[in-house]
Amino acid sequence: MGKKLNLLGAALAGAVALAATQSGAVTVPLFNNSFEAGNTGAATGLGKHLTFAELNTTSPGWDTYTGVQGWNTTSGNRIEIHSDFDQTKIDAQDGDYYISLDGGRNSSISQSVALTAGTYLLSFWYSPESTNVASNAISYSVGNLLNGVAKWGVNGAKMGTWTQITALFYVHGAGGNYDLSFGALGTANGVGGFLDNVSIAAVPVPADGL
């Protein structure tokens, strides 16, 4: 099954963000940004009792864990890791795995990112698991610098496809360490929104006269 990219959603992500990505932006290092490194906590999942290594070979192709490597679980402790073997959902946007933060309990994750002064572009890929905006929304933030919500309909987001969500933000002064965070919003019913391929890129300042 091929990768299902929502090209329309990517196109609608914003002309400013698109220009930024084409101007030589430098990616900020993130660990496990596409959720390929596995889970934390117990070796086997909470529901299906699958190890991470079994997800891409064993039905149903997903399980719920207390955490995912590289990210701190800041609430909920119920994170679904899905693989391309899960034929009822979609393929990962990048690699073989993606996550949902609503594993029957709304969960949130964060990762500390060191940023100096400048302009940055946050990008991630989102797919709602239903059309119900009361349960499929995901919040995103970078410290107190950026806050937003991805949900069904944003940038044309719809079930069964991936939509790129992008947002520019600015770091002033000396910069510092900021928490990059994502969290499930609304009804905690195991039917939320999928998340994959998270990145932050420093956007170069255009030369004078350009």
Side-chain angles (χ1 to χ4, degrees):
M1 187 163 57
K3 302 299 180 184
K4 302 172 180 66
L5 308 183
N6 187 340
L7 300 180
L8 176 60
L12 295 176
V16 173
L18 181 60
T21 62
Q22 294 175 340
S23 63
V26 178
T27 302
V28 176
L30 297 177
F31 183 72
N32 202 19
N33 68 303
S34 289
F35 312 110
E36 303 293 302
N39 63 290
T40 57
T44 59
L46 301 171
K48 313 301 180 182
H49 307 294
L50 299 178
T51 66
F52 181 78
E54 292 173 322
L55 292 180
N56 217 15
T57 60
T58 308
S59 181
W62 65 273
D63 208 339
T64 305
Y65 305 88
T66 58
V68 60
Q69 287 193 37
W71 300 83
N72 297 313
T73 303
T74 51
S75 68
N77 299 309
R78 293 295 185 275
I79 299 169
E80 289 179 1
I81 302 179
H82 291 254
S83 75
D84 287 350
F85 196 76
D86 182 357
Q87 300 298 308
T88 65
K89 305 300 181 183
I90 57 178
D91 284 353
Q93 194 280 326
D94 182 61
D96 297 315
Y97 303 92
Y98 56 100
I99 67 169
S100 167
L101 295 171
D102 180 357
R105 182 186 302 172
N106 282 349
S107 301
S108 57
I109 58 174
S110 70
Q111 179 171 160
S112 182
V113 183
L115 302 173
T116 58
T119 302
Y120 293 86
L121 178 71
L122 171 66
S123 169
F124 62 92
W125 292 78
Y126 163 78
S127 178
E129 200 172 352
S130 75
T131 60
N132 183 6
V133 296
S135 69
N136 63 28
I138 293 178
S139 66
Y140 59 90
S141 63
V142 181
N144 60 355
L145 306 175
L146 173 69
N147 289 279
V149 175
K151 59 185 177 180
W152 183 87
V154 172
N155 288 357
K158 59 183 180 180
M159 294 173 57
T161 62
W162 289 103
T163 296
Q164 187 179 28
I165 307 296
T166 61
L168 285 168
F169 65 97
Y170 308 92
V171 178
H172 301 285
N177 294 320
Y178 301 89
D179 284 336
L180 168 63
S181 303
F182 296 91
L185 298 177
T187 306
N189 57 3
V191 184
F194 295 129
L195 174 68
D196 199 9
N197 197 7
V198 180
S199 67
I200 293 178
V203 180
V205 176
D208 292 343
L210 295 181

